[in-house]
Amino acid sequence: MKKLVCCILVLFSHSLCAQQNISWGLLPSLNFNKKLPRDWSLNFKAEGRQSLQDEKNYLQTDLSLLSSRKVGLSSTIAMGYLLRLPNGDELRNRLIQQFIIVRRYPALKLSHRFGADQTFGGKEPAVYRLRYRLSSEIPLSGQEVDPKEFFFKLGNEYVNSLEESAYDLEIRGLGFLGYVLNPKAKLEFGIDYRLSSFLNSLTRQRSWIGFNLYQSL
């Protein structure tokens, strides 16, 4: 856990030390979850991106639907589809595959997510990605996150991508403050920082201000 926190702090510190190279934006999302019989569930997510710097302020909308099933006490597999609606550009399609492991400890929930996705459509070449994400949920009071209580969400993700013959690695760090509205709904607010293209000496830094709403149906 200490290594995770240190890694995120390093990423955020790096962003503060080089603000002239950072682009800022808003990243709001709505997440709806529905449990189904036999350990199946569905997740629908709508996410928007809006730049706070570019003339082309609104960037895109992502609509995704994932179907998942528990395959063990702490593991889940998921597959789904994402439709990307860029502002003024052609539609993009993405296929998604995930394997998630969730471990619960006293005053801590730790999640490992291994994923792959393939993005295609429009005039742009196809993009193939492999990713790993480690995230934690830490209650600010008690041993578990209960209704009407706050929590911290910290995460670190590594995204390997291949576009034609060009390889890139993106490193992400996030820190969110969450609040449980009721047993079926929670809110999150925080920063999602992303560092990429540094392997080719063309470092790209993006910081997104995230607003997330999760609702179980």
Side-chain angles (χ1 to χ4, degrees), residues 128-145:
Y128 303 91
R129 303 194 302 178
L130 292 174
R131 52 204 299 173
Y132 167 71
R133 177 175 177 175
L134 175 64
S135 61
S136 62
E137 188 176 281
I138 307 168
L140 293 185
S141 59
Q143 297 295 308
E144 296 182 358
V145 180

Side-chain angles (χ1 to χ4, degrees), residues 93-157:
N93 305 280
R94 177 176 294 171
L95 301 178
I96 303 169
Q97 307 87 40
Q98 297 178 349
F99 178 67
I100 305 104
I101 301 173
V102 178
R103 303 291 189 186
R104 297 182 182 274
Y105 304 95
L108 173 67
K109 182 172 78 172
L110 199 62
S111 300
H112 304 267
R113 188 178 72 186
F114 304 86
D117 57 64
Q118 306 81 40
T119 304
F120 53 91
K123 298 179 181 179
E124 299 294 326
V127 180
Y128 303 91
R129 303 194 302 178
L130 292 174
R131 52 204 299 173
Y132 167 71
R133 177 175 177 175
L134 175 64
S135 61
S136 62
E137 188 176 281
I138 307 168
L140 293 185
S141 59
Q143 297 295 308
E144 296 182 358
V145 180
D146 297 314
K148 309 300 181 182
E149 291 184 355
F150 289 93
F151 63 91
F152 275 129
K153 182 177 179 180
L154 303 174
N156 188 211
E157 184 171 20

Side-chain angles (χ1 to χ4, degrees), residues 165-217:
S165 59
Y167 168 78
D168 192 19
L169 171 64
E170 180 175 85
I171 301 175
R172 302 179 180 181
L174 63 87
F176 279 74
L177 176 65
Y179 181 73
V180 181
L181 299 171
N182 56 59
K184 291 189 175 183
K186 64 180 180 180
L187 288 170
E188 294 178 352
F189 169 77
I191 297 293
D192 183 333
Y193 172 71
R194 304 180 181 186
L195 175 68
S196 61
S197 301
F198 57 89
L199 295 178
N200 299 315
S201 300
L202 298 172
T203 302
R204 182 184 184 189
Q205 300 182 74
R206 293 170 293 168
S207 292
W208 300 101
I209 302 174
F211 305 88
N212 303 323
L213 170 64
Y214 296 87
Q215 177 69 55
S216 296
L217 305 176

Side-chain angles (χ1 to χ4, degrees), residues 77-89:
I77 56 172
M79 298 183 67
Y81 168 77
L82 180 147
L83 176 63
R84 173 157 291 174
L85 308 169
N87 184 15
D89 294 324

Side-chain angles (χ1 to χ4, degrees), residues 23-26 50-54 56-57 59 207-209:
S23 62
W24 286 87
L26 301 177
Q50 180 168 338
S51 172
L52 296 178
Q53 296 173 312
D54 300 333
K56 186 179 178 181
N57 289 328
L59 303 178
S207 292
W208 300 101
I209 302 174

